[in-house]
Amino acid sequence: SEHRPGPRPKVSFPVQLHMTIQDRYEPAEVESAAQRAWEAAGTFVAREDAARPKYYCLCMFPYPSGHLHMGHVRNYTIGDVLARYMRMQGCNVLQPMGWDAFGLPAENAAIENGVAPARWTRDNIAHMKRQLQSLGFGIDWSRELATCDADYYKWNQWLFLRMLERGIAYQKTGVVNWDPVDQTVLANEQVIDGRGWRTGALIEKREIPMYYLRITQYSEELLAALDRLPDWPERVRAMQANWIGKSEGVNLSFPYETGGTRGELKVFTTRADTIMGVTFVAVAALHPLAELAASRDASVRAFVDECRRGSVMEADLATMDKKGIATGLSVRHPLTGAEVPVWVGNYVLMAYGEGAVMGVPGHDERDFAFAKKYDLAILPVIDVQGQPYSTAAWQDWYADYGRCVNSGAYDGLDYAAATDAIARDLEAKGLGRKQVVWRLRDWGISRQRYWGCPIPIIHCPACGAVPVPDEQLPVRLPEDLVPDGSGNPLAKHPAFYECRCPQCGAAARRETDTMDTFVDSSWYFFRFASAGNERAMVDERAAYWLPVDQYIGGIEHAILHLLYSRFWTRVMRDCGLTRLDEPFQRLLTQGMVLNEIWFRKPASGRIAYYNPAEITAKADGERRTGVLNSDGAPVEYGGIGTMSKSRRNGVDPQALVDRYGADTARLFMMFAAPPEHTLEWSDEGVEGAFRFMKRLWKIVHAHVQGGPAGRPDLPALDPTQRALRRQVHQTLAKVGDDIGRRRTFNTAIAAVMELLNALARFSDSSAQGRAVMQEALDLVVLMLAPFVPHASHAMWQGLGHATAVVDERWPAADESALVQDTIELVVQVNGKLRGRVPVPAGADEAVARAAALADPGVAKFVAGQPVRKLIYVPGKLVNVVI
RNA sequence: GCCGGGGUGGUGGAAUUGGUAGACACAGCAGACUCAAAAUCUGCCGACCGCAAGGUCAUGCGAGUUCGAUUCUCGCCCUCGGCACCA
């Protein structure tokens, strides 16, 4: 453990007898006392209770990397603030926690240190759990789970078998990165500049059999249902819609005959109206026609092989130089019968559409560039409002919709009419029809890795792929293997893979692939609500708690994790395990926590990263430069990026907690930025939050020392007391709105800080003054309880309450305290601020106008000119237009 | 490249429905307290002009709509996230 208590001065007694809080703010003592109190009372153990409104508050569970990072602190503090706030609203709150415990880092650690992934993972979990507990999150730990526990992943396997039965899970080949030296499949992350990260060997693409989940069967539903998620951020819904990517277009066939074989090259297009402008077709390197041409021509073979060595990532495909080679084959245009050459293009995706595209250089930018490069014909066939077309250079409007020209029978038709006519003619010839195509692809879940959930299949020489019978579940992952980086350890472990066929009893081989870890995280929120059930995946407790009322997690999960969870929930629904369509009612996507990146890149060897804390940085004109503290030599600045282990730019939250306490760490995290913003980390500023805590503590302490205070006698308050009380209740209303509706925790905290500044200035030791102060401090502590629960716990008792603040209700603002007789109107002349005038609240326009024009500052600018117009926004402003 | 965010003082940010730009903090400067330091407290703190009163400019850049634009529209620049085997 790296938990080292930081230097902290010891408290000095004596404490007077009638005081219940110490004179000095000591977070370590306050926090452990509060945590002990919650633990003893079982405060956060959630029980199903039909009589109360339930509130399931869930944060994305962490990968147990070993240490909490700032993103976790941000995520779980947001969740805890909402959970505690909803509890104060009277809700029955469930806030569980678990571990997304399978994955690649455990194997990497094993390769580096020789420790078994199971051991490494469980040690990390133990450490991170202590860290979470020290932050005082109100978590129901009785429901804790780890996805590497057999009683969890058993149900992955069980539902996978149900999916096989229903045809949702199926087997087909998929493309992977293959390291020829280590004889192993690599993750995209392990491929650097086309080479294996450990071996440096050139990576090949390889096709292997894998299991897929038919998420595309739910495309339409997953897309349509986005409209019924009003409490999801607009941007997440937009990203998912684009990911699912519904396009309506035309599927058409180019017939061909070569060397005695007849066939049809299938192509999908959303621009069938440009079909008369086709001058070539391009196929993916993995397309059968490319393979056919390669078998006949060495240069095509070489090009196809080169493409196959390239990256499998879409981002790389989209940005690489567009290259191609003529196959020497040709196909016939489906409408004109003209001969069209077939090319292989490195930019054509095998996984989208048909793995082939029709080339219309006249109206597609990529095709245009390709035609220019390889001297292919460019044929304009769309007229965009008579604009002059030149093949010399691409213009953006070339891709716009217009009317067909040079298109024979289709001339003069617009996009819709041309598409209809062309689709009809193609259909008459049996060479095409309208079709909807989705960008979404089926979800490949096979991973050739050890530290994951085994896929419950047995391969029998006679019976083929046989599902493991339910009663043999779980297929347990042996926990004592240590991967060495070459191949999958399961495939080298006969005790695991040697087995009998469940159907015929013959010797058979167990599947050694494991599941994508996204499977684990696609339904864990159900399991929290059915914790410990050994007989069923979910039970009636899930029906009580689900859906998750508030889900909170990083924006980086906006697509994959959330989409897979929505899909998995629907599969569970179709299997009768839930009645829900959607698992997450409301979603908050927190921004990422970023930090500076500093590195050195030696002429040879691997790039070395340094933590910003080890760097002294300065601005050198436009450039930012820095030196490493330990050797004084320069380091390069790599900009701002997510905190990551590989870039060594993480900040350890434990140091903050040790130095300032959990409350300060939580408070600062929530104050630094609104939750959805990305946050550039800075150590400075934490001091401000700590100062606030000390100030608050001091004011509470000073007030308590004056002895018990009564309740304010409202009609007897003087104007100063009345004004303070108004601010208190204004703040209360704002803070409730900021937390409950707007989720802008930073402004809620700022409002309380402003109030505290007012309380510090308020020195009134009269009975009424002290009564107003008591009410104010009570409310301040209640308002802050979700943010700084430990200090609030202590101060609440210090203020003379016998209850625990965690069990208190959120107070309602006193409307009568908010009433004001006179308000200040802002006066503008031609939109520029020229004065402020007091008017009675509710003044009509005539009164406001008279008051505004009478103001000397305003009169100076009006200067006798006629008022052309006067805008009056009641209660706010007057704009005099002259 | 495609998809989605973001850009406001030296810094993080505020301005909630188109209505006072810079709340609240951080850093900095000055002062009080102190033998001294720390801590604490008080004041100042966008730029420019001005002795001042006050004025002008200013929310990435360029246009537009409006009595009024940080907010709406269009174009551009920079930056961050995702792109299907990192989680």
Side-chain angles (χ1 to χ4, degrees):
Chain A
S1 160
E2 290 189 11
H3 185 108
R4 288 184 300 270
R8 189 182 293 122
K10 277 278 134 202
V11 69
S12 49
F13 288 96
V15 174
Q16 290 168 4
L17 274 179
H18 68 266
M19 288 172 48
T20 51
I21 67 173
Q22 301 173 358
D23 61 345
R24 194 181 160 111
Y25 176 48
E26 287 297 340
E29 292 168 31
V30 164
E31 289 173 7
S32 63
Q35 287 170 15
R36 280 196 307 273
W38 300 329
E39 174 70 32
T43 302
F44 301 113
V45 177
R47 289 183 189 84
E48 294 72 23
D49 176 2
R52 290 156 69 202
K54 65 93 184 177
Y55 191 81
Y56 186 175
C57 181
L58 181 69
C59 294
M60 290 182 186
F61 64 166
Y63 178 79
S65 60
H67 299 274
L68 233 45
H69 58 66
M70 285 299 174
H72 293 133
V73 175
R74 194 178 195 194
N75 196 163
Y76 304 137
T77 303
I78 293 168
D80 200 44
V81 168
L82 287 172
R84 287 173 182 270
Y85 174 77
M86 292 312 291
R87 180 190 179 96
M88 292 178 82
Q89 295 291 331
C91 290
N92 185 25
V93 172
L94 168 61
Q95 188 178 214
M97 183 55 69
W99 309 95
D100 190 12
F102 277 135
L104 205 50
E107 297 194 32
N108 295 342
I111 293 166
E112 253 177 64
N113 310 320
V115 55
R119 174 73 195 275
W120 183 84
T121 302
R122 290 186 209 285
D123 286 352
N124 286 351
I125 287 174
H127 178 65
M128 290 174 75
K129 183 174 176 178
R130 282 195 301 276
Q131 288 191 299
L132 285 175
Q133 287 170 328
S134 77
L135 277 155
F137 299 132
I139 290 166
D140 179 358
W141 286 104
S142 71
R143 295 165 187 262
E144 181 182 3
L145 63 82
T147 58
C148 62
D149 293 340
D151 56 8
Y152 181 80
Y153 67 67
K154 170 185 177 178
W155 301 107
N156 286 353
Q157 297 171 342
W158 183 83
L159 198 72
F160 174 81
L161 295 175
R162 302 292 83 76
M163 292 192 197
L164 270 179
E165 289 162 5
R166 291 167 174 263
I168 302 283
Y170 66 99
Q171 205 176 17
K172 71 167 184 185
T173 61
V175 182
V176 294
N177 304 305
W178 179 256
D179 185 323
V181 173
D182 264 349
Q183 293 284 299
T184 195
V185 174
L186 297 184
N188 286 336
E189 185 184 68
Q190 297 170 317
V191 180
I192 298 158
D193 297 331
R195 291 172 182 277
W197 65 324
R198 277 160 40 79
T199 61
L202 274 176
I203 294 308
E204 299 165 12
K205 286 180 202 163
R206 188 171 267 214
E207 284 205 70
I208 59 168
M210 305 210 292
Y211 282 93
Y212 283 83
L213 303 184
R214 213 180 292 278
I215 188 173
T216 52
Q217 187 171 312
Y218 293 84
S219 300
E220 190 81 65
E221 194 191 339
L222 288 168
L223 179 67
L226 289 172
D227 291 337
R228 297 194 295 274
L229 292 172
D231 296 321
W232 278 39
E234 182 62 44
R235 60 170 161 158
V236 173
R237 285 183 287 149
M239 278 192 265
Q240 292 221 345
N242 285 320
W243 186 262
I244 296 169
K246 182 178 190 174
S247 19
E248 299 182 30
V250 173
N251 222 357
L252 57 150
S253 301
F254 290 73
Y256 63 85
E257 190 178 335
T258 174
T261 51
R262 284 162 170 271
E264 286 179 357
L265 173 60
K266 285 196 157 113
V267 156
F268 173 79
T269 181
T270 55
R271 289 300 303 269
D273 59 320
T274 65
I275 194 168
M276 303 306 266
V278 171
T279 58
F280 68 95
V281 292
V283 300
L286 292 165
H287 194 277
L289 268 191
E291 188 50 47
L292 176 65
S295 68
R296 297 178 182 177
D297 182 326
S299 58
V300 176
R301 168 95 275 152
F303 181 76
V304 165
D305 286 349
E306 186 197 326
C307 291
R308 288 181 184 187
R309 273 196 300 277
S311 169
V312 296
M313 292 170 69
E314 189 185 323
D316 294 334
L317 291 173
T319 50
M320 71 172 73
D321 274 350
K322 307 294 176 289
K323 284 198 281 193
I325 190 167
T327 59
L329 305 174
S330 62
V331 293
R332 299 221 162 265
H333 192 286
L335 294 178
T336 67
E339 220 173 82
V340 179
V342 177
W343 286 65
V344 180
N346 65 350
Y347 63 94
V348 183
L349 298 171
M350 193 61 213
Y352 180 71
E354 301 287 346
V357 296
M358 66 180 205
V360 185
H363 302 285
D364 180 274
E365 186 170 6
R366 205 171 42 185
D367 294 346
F368 186 93
F370 196 79
K372 279 286 192 187
K373 184 164 181 177
Y374 295 109
D375 206 22
L376 296 161
I378 299 172
L379 218 62
V381 291
I382 299 292
D383 174 68
V384 179
Q385 291 161 6
Q387 297 192 70
Y389 194 103
S390 156
T391 58
W394 175 260
Q395 306 290 327
D396 281 341
W397 60 265
Y398 288 0
D400 289 352
Y401 294 128
R403 288 183 186 278
C404 294
V405 291
N406 301 325
S407 299
Y410 310 112
D411 281 359
L413 299 180
D414 66 10
Y415 172 76
T419 304
D420 286 347
I422 288 164
R424 199 172 52 234
D425 292 351
L426 286 168
E427 196 151 7
K429 294 185 169 214
L431 289 175
R433 57 189 174 85
K434 281 197 172 180
Q435 200 183 337
V436 172
V437 166
W438 304 85
R439 211 184 77 94
L440 184 65
R441 308 201 294 259
D442 278 341
W443 174 15
I445 58 157
S446 293
R447 299 289 181 271
Q448 299 68 43
R449 283 187 239 302
Y450 162 56
W451 191 235
C453 166
I455 294 177
I457 293 286
I458 289 167
H459 298 283
C460 169
C463 309
V466 180
V468 172
D470 283 359
E471 58 276 14
Q472 290 179 25
L473 297 183
V475 176
R476 281 181 192 276
L477 186 72
E479 295 211 341
D480 51 352
L481 304 189
V482 182
D484 60 7
S486 72
N488 179 351
L490 292 177
K492 298 186 264 184
H493 193 61
F496 178 75
Y497 66 71
E498 284 180 354
C499 61
R500 293 270 155 200
C501 172
Q503 274 175 22
C504 69
R509 187 180 168 94
R510 192 180 293 287
E511 172 68 56
T512 56
D513 281 0
T514 53
M515 293 185 194
D516 180 3
T517 57
F518 274 121
V519 169
D520 309 325
S521 55
S522 289
W523 69 282
Y524 71 107
F525 37 89
F526 278 101
R527 192 64 184 172
F528 281 137
S530 302
N533 192 328
E534 291 174 10
R535 299 181 327 282
M537 186 175 187
V538 289
D539 57 40
E540 68 288 348
R541 291 173 294 164
Y544 173 80
W545 288 111
L546 273 281
V548 172
D549 294 277
Q550 176 73 65
Y551 196 33
I552 304 147
I555 183 67
E556 69 274 19
H557 294 290
I559 296 175
L560 291 181
H561 163 60
L562 291 170
L563 191 61
Y564 290 150
S565 297
R566 297 179 62 221
F567 159 65
W568 197 278
T569 299
R570 285 171 165 79
V571 173
M572 287 177 65
R573 175 199 64 194
D574 293 347
C575 291
L577 297 166
T578 176
R579 302 170 92 163
L580 293 176
D581 299 326
E582 292 289 340
F584 311 124
Q585 189 76 40
R586 184 167 181 167
L587 175 68
L588 191 156
T589 49
Q590 58 159 26
M592 320 233 340
V593 183
L594 310 181
N595 204 355
E596 296 179 338
I597 300 164
W598 294 94
F599 65 94
R600 280 180 189 158
K601 195 168 189 174
S604 62
R606 282 174 67 177
I607 190 164
Y609 288 94
Y610 301 94
N611 192 282
E614 306 165 31
I615 305 290
T616 303
K618 62 171 190 238
D620 178 11
E622 294 284 282
R623 284 187 53 227
R624 189 166 167 78
T625 61
V627 295
L628 184 63
N629 294 333
S630 59
D631 63 11
V635 231
E636 277 189 72
Y637 180 59
I640 295 285
T642 54
M643 288 189 179
S644 78
K645 203 174 177 182
S646 59
R647 293 193 285 211
R648 297 200 60 224
N649 63 340
V651 174
D652 184 7
Q654 196 64 54
L656 273 191
V657 176
D658 290 344
R659 187 165 166 77
Y660 299 103
D663 281 337
T664 294
R666 295 166 56 119
L667 185 72
F668 176 64
M669 232 343 165
M670 293 300 94
F671 178 64
E676 312 231 43
H677 274 210
T678 49
L679 173 65
E680 281 175 34
W681 182 254
S682 98
D683 285 329
E684 297 130 3
V686 186
E687 282 288 345
F690 189 52
R691 262 199 290 267
F692 171 79
M693 292 305 299
K694 286 190 288 188
R695 252 157 75 81
L696 172 63
W697 190 273
K698 204 167 85 177
I699 288 171
V700 170
H701 177 261
H703 171 77
V704 167
Q705 265 195 318
R711 287 167 168 265
D713 176 16
L714 300 185
L717 298 186
D718 69 28
T720 312
Q721 293 161 349
R722 200 176 295 274
L724 183 76
R725 194 163 180 275
R726 180 167 61 240
Q727 189 179 351
V728 169
H729 284 272
Q730 268 170 353
T731 305
L732 176 58
K734 176 174 172 54
V735 170
D737 188 50
D738 282 354
I739 300 174
R741 181 179 64 88
R742 297 177 67 208
R743 309 272 140 104
T744 53
F745 310 115
N746 55 327
T747 53
I749 293 166
V752 181
M753 286 177 168
E754 261 185 287
L755 178 58
L756 189 73
N757 289 341
L759 294 181
R761 282 191 297 268
F762 181 79
S763 58
D764 181 344
S765 54
S766 70
Q768 284 307 321
R770 285 186 37 76
V772 168
M773 191 67 168
Q774 175 78 33
E775 183 194 15
L777 291 175
D778 281 351
L779 290 175
V780 163
V781 168
L782 288 169
M783 281 186 256
L784 287 175
F787 298 100
V788 290
H790 312 90
S792 300
H793 179 85
M795 290 185 291
W796 185 250
Q797 293 182 347
L799 285 164
H801 303 280
T803 55
V805 72
V806 71
D807 294 323
E808 285 298 312
R809 285 305 184 92
W810 188 265
D814 178 358
E815 295 292 332
S816 70
L818 304 178
V819 177
Q820 267 179 292
D821 303 337
T822 304
I823 54 158
E824 193 176 63
L825 267 192
V826 164
V827 186
Q828 299 177 328
V829 178
N830 285 351
K832 282 191 196 292
L833 174 68
R834 297 303 181 188
R836 296 159 210 270
V837 292
V839 294
D844 64 14
E845 180 164 345
V847 173
R849 180 188 181 111
L853 293 175
D855 183 73
V858 173
K860 191 172 95 184
F861 283 91
V862 174
Q865 297 174 75
V867 175
R868 279 182 33 212
K869 196 170 169 185
L870 188 130
I871 314 279
Y872 176 47
V873 183
K876 275 203 163 153
L877 99 171
V878 171
N879 187 11
V880 184
V881 184
I882 56 170

